[in-house]
Amino acid sequence: MKMLYQQMMAFFGVIAVTLVIVSILFIRSTTNTVWQNSFNQLEQYTDVLKDRAVDNDTYLINAQFIENAEEILAKQNVHFMIYDAANNARYPNIPGGAPQAIASKYWSQLKKGNTVALPELTTNPQNGRQQRMTIYYKPVFLSQKLLFVIAAFAPVENIQSSIQQTEKNLVVAFLLSLLAAIVISYFLARFQVNRINRLRQATHQVAEGDYDVQVQFDKKGHDEVAALADDFQDMVGSLRESQAEIHRQEERRRQFMADAAHEMRTPLTTINGLLEGLAYDAIPEESKGESIALMQKETKRLIRLVNENLDYEKIRTNQILLNKQTFNATEALHDIVSQLQQKAEASNDQLVLTAADEVPVFADHDRFVQVLFNITQNAIQFTQNGTITISAKAGYHQTELAVQDTGIGMSPDQVKNIWERYYKADPSRKNTKYGESGLGLAIVHQLVTRHGGTIKVESALNQGTTFFITFPDEETAPKQAPITHTK
Ligand SMILES: Nc1ncnc2c1ncn2[C@@H]1O[C@H](COP(=O)(O)OP(=O)(O)OP(=O)(O)O)[C@@H](O)[C@H]1O
Ligand SMILES: [Mg+2]
């Protein structure tokens, strides 16, 4: 069944049950009131008769007065009877038969001084017909002695007709209310169902990949459906974010594949060309040695590329274990300087190390050397006739290192991308003396991060570049994550 009808039935059911209960209670209370009013009226009549229709001294009945009263009340068919202390009807004086006496069960009540009010089937002495009547008996006493009983009669029809009128009005009101209930429940149900439909529509949109949906309901009367809409909106937000992340990752992967293929094609093409030359004897004998040397160089480059890629992936996916220990950074830097001294001289660069004799650092020794070696090598690579300064000092809970050069520098745009794999600020620069894969800094970044350290760069075009690196000390360094094997 459609939710609209379910909701309508629920609302309608509640309203209808309420109406039925209210109607029943109303009818009962009205009926009671009408009966009560009728008895009250009869009581008032008997009060008047008690004072005016019977002489307390002579016990004589003023029949004329009662007849007049009956005449006035003729329209309502009210009549009276008066009984003496022996339960004999003294009024009306009907020739040919005395009206019936009061039933003994009521008479005993009356003798005790109680009034009696009841509806009963009785003979109307005015027309002799059997009729249901409301009767009010009132005993009159004089110094504790029962003098007589006054009875007032009114047909029950009077009461019933006024109750019937009320019932009729009530039925009309009931039907009109039901009609209103249908209309109200329809609008209430439609309001709820509309909101749910809006949510459904939004869900469809999201399922079709549209994450820009907005479902926000009125803040007024913030109920569960509105809360659900808010939660839905939050969910769409995080879906949108993860979708964007997936796109970014996919783009990075695609870029990586393209770059890796591109990087490998150059040496492969070179080797292939040389092999063809050798196969067809197109290379003169004296150049063969040189060709083989070139092929060796290109093959080494390919091997290095593959190894570095593997290394990068291993670091990235937590597959390497860092053998961390505290050692003297100055000593390690000295070794790097002496290894690169020749290369620096070839570029006419000066390599300077400024560090205290003992600067402790907590790191994997080989990886530390790899990081600093790479950065210093880059500095030499991009600096001609300049100075490269390597410095190290102990900071607060960390070791701080810097490699500063006075080389070609980078623009802010170039700086943004240097941690990306295969990034080269100047793509036309191929086959420089050292390193040309664009993997060096990507690996460096991963290594420093794995140590829990930081690496930052400051650079200005044609002025130089400085790399700042920190390694946390043993106390603050992160605990080694267990090796995970990812595909
Ligand atoms: N000291 C520097 N001065 C100017 N540019 C730099 C410096 N260091 C790095 N770069 C820029 O960042 C790029 C990325 O450096 P990275 O070391 O990752 O790659 P690479 O040196 O080109 O190749 P390799 O993977 O062999 O090291 C470099 O190509 C260069 O454009
Ligand atoms: Mg490099």
Side-chain angles (χ1 to χ4, degrees):
M1 186 167 25
K2 278 206 152 193
M3 195 173 167
L4 179 72
Y5 302 129
Q6 290 177 22
Q7 293 264 319
M8 261 186 84
M9 271 171 59
F11 289 131
F12 181 76
V14 171
I15 297 174
V17 168
T18 315
L19 276 175
V20 168
I21 291 173
V22 169
S23 305
I24 290 173
L25 290 178
F26 184 75
I27 294 227
R28 283 182 66 171
S29 88
T30 324
T31 311
N32 276 345
T33 316
V34 172
W35 279 99
Q36 201 52 54
N37 284 347
S38 166
F39 285 127
N40 285 348
Q41 217 168 28
L42 292 181
E43 186 188 4
Q44 280 163 16
Y45 296 154
T46 54
D47 277 347
V48 175
L49 289 195
K50 174 186 154 219
D51 295 337
R52 308 280 304 274
V54 183
D55 190 321
N56 284 352
D57 297 330
T58 58
Y59 300 166
L60 280 178
I61 289 166
N62 186 348
Q64 191 57 47
F65 179 81
I66 301 174
E67 275 164 23
N68 286 349
E70 283 177 336
E71 223 170 278
I72 293 167
L73 297 170
K75 263 236 160 103
Q76 296 164 40
N77 273 325
V78 175
H79 69 270
F80 303 101
M81 287 181 79
I82 296 186
Y83 296 86
D84 61 16
N87 198 358
N88 294 321
R90 294 269 310 278
Y91 177 90
N93 208 349
I94 298 165
Q100 63 203 58
I102 298 171
S104 58
K105 55 181 170 184
Y106 305 134
W107 186 253
S108 58
Q109 285 288 325
L110 291 166
K111 276 209 311 207
K112 280 184 207 155
N114 298 329
T115 56
V116 174
L118 54 107
E120 204 176 42
L121 195 66
T122 183
T123 320
N124 187 340
Q126 285 177 334
N127 51 24
R129 274 201 294 131
Q130 282 272 315
Q131 241 181 330
R132 253 180 90 74
M133 292 280 194
T134 44
I135 311 169
Y136 190 85
Y137 294 111
K138 187 184 192 77
V140 180
F141 285 85
L142 185 68
S143 40
Q144 309 224 322
K145 189 171 168 273
L146 180 66
L147 290 184
F148 45 84
V149 173
I150 305 169
F153 299 76
V156 169
E157 281 166 18
N158 291 358
I159 294 172
Q160 271 169 346
S161 71
S162 75
I163 290 176
Q164 267 167 10
Q165 190 54 42
T166 316
E167 280 174 349
K168 224 192 268 172
N169 289 344
L170 205 70
V171 168
V172 173
F174 184 75
L175 290 178
L176 286 177
S177 308
L178 280 192
L179 214 68
I182 291 175
V183 175
I184 291 170
S185 56
Y186 172 74
F187 281 108
L188 273 175
R190 209 180 63 164
F191 170 69
Q192 292 292 3
V193 170
N194 271 355
R195 299 202 304 170
I196 288 171
N197 278 345
R198 267 169 65 193
L199 263 174
R200 268 187 68 198
Q201 203 184 349
T203 316
H204 282 307
Q205 261 172 278
V206 172
E208 275 162 22
D210 175 6
Y211 297 103
D212 294 327
V213 286
Q214 283 290 335
V215 269
Q216 231 114 44
F217 297 135
D218 257 356
K219 283 280 168 251
K220 258 194 297 171
H222 197 81
D223 59 2
E224 281 81 353
V225 180
L228 175 67
D230 286 350
D231 292 346
F232 177 82
Q233 203 61 53
D234 290 348
M235 187 192 74
V236 171
S238 36
L239 268 178
R240 190 192 303 125
E241 266 166 37
S242 51
Q243 197 64 21
E245 181 57 31
I246 289 171
H247 277 304
R248 264 199 302 277
Q249 297 247 4
E250 180 57 25
E251 180 55 29
R252 225 178 287 157
R253 196 192 62 81
R254 203 190 54 75
Q255 188 62 39
F256 169 71
M257 291 306 286
D259 290 343
H262 178 83
E263 289 302 322
M264 293 186 185
R265 196 172 49 201
T266 320
L268 283 173
T269 319
T270 312
I271 295 167
N272 189 41
L274 291 168
L275 281 175
E276 272 178 18
L278 287 175
Y280 295 109
D281 245 351
I283 296 173
E285 202 59 41
E286 63 270 21
S287 305
K288 274 187 183 161
E290 206 182 303
S291 300
I292 290 168
L294 188 56
M295 282 200 287
Q296 269 177 335
K297 190 184 149 219
E298 290 299 282
T299 318
K300 273 191 194 138
R301 184 158 117 81
L302 268 177
I303 292 169
R304 191 174 75 96
L305 213 62
V306 171
N307 281 341
E308 282 183 354
N309 256 317
L310 286 177
D311 203 24
Y312 176 89
E313 276 307 318
K314 274 193 186 155
I315 303 165
R316 196 181 68 81
T317 54
N318 256 350
Q319 290 184 59
I320 56 146
L321 204 63
L322 296 174
N323 181 16
K324 286 194 273 190
Q325 58 193 33
T326 305
F327 58 90
N328 186 1
T330 312
E331 225 168 81
L333 293 173
H334 263 303
D335 290 348
I336 294 170
V337 168
S338 51
Q339 276 182 55
L340 288 170
Q341 197 64 51
Q342 242 191 335
K343 286 178 182 173
E345 277 164 20
S347 298
N348 209 12
D349 289 331
Q350 237 194 311
L351 255 184
V352 184
L353 173 64
T354 55
D357 288 347
E358 270 288 333
V359 179
V361 64
F362 181 65
D364 180 312
H365 184 273
D366 292 350
R367 297 299 187 177
F368 174 85
V369 171
Q370 188 181 351
V371 167
L372 270 300
F373 191 92
N374 252 289
I375 293 173
T376 315
Q377 200 179 37
N378 276 350
I380 299 170
Q381 194 179 342
F382 301 107
T383 309
Q384 295 289 321
N385 311 318
T387 310
I388 290 123
T389 316
I390 308 171
S391 56
K393 64 175 193 269
Y396 179 71
H397 277 304
Q398 63 184 14
T399 311
E400 297 167 3
L401 302 124
V403 178
Q404 185 180 21
D405 68 50
T406 54
I408 60 169
M410 285 175 279
S411 69
D413 254 5
Q414 292 170 335
V415 168
K416 247 189 260 164
N417 295 307
I418 53 167
W419 313 118
E420 292 291 324
R421 269 197 281 188
Y422 298 115
Y423 179 76
K424 287 166 227 163
D426 177 9
S428 63
R429 179 187 54 80
K430 289 262 162 81
N431 278 330
T432 50
K433 267 174 273 169
Y434 334 96
E436 55 278 333
S437 64
L439 275 167
L441 284 183
I443 294 173
V444 161
H445 189 263
Q446 287 288 347
L447 279 177
V448 174
T449 318
R450 275 297 308 278
H451 275 87
T454 60
I455 178 157
K456 289 194 192 88
V457 62
E458 270 175 20
S459 189
L461 263 183
N462 302 321
Q463 287 183 26
T465 307
T466 311
F467 282 86
F468 300 95
I469 310 138
T470 66
F471 284 93
D473 69 1
E474 192 164 357
E475 245 176 79
T476 49
K479 295 281 158 288
Q480 189 124 236
I483 296 179
T484 51
H485 292 282
T486 43
K487 277 191 186 165

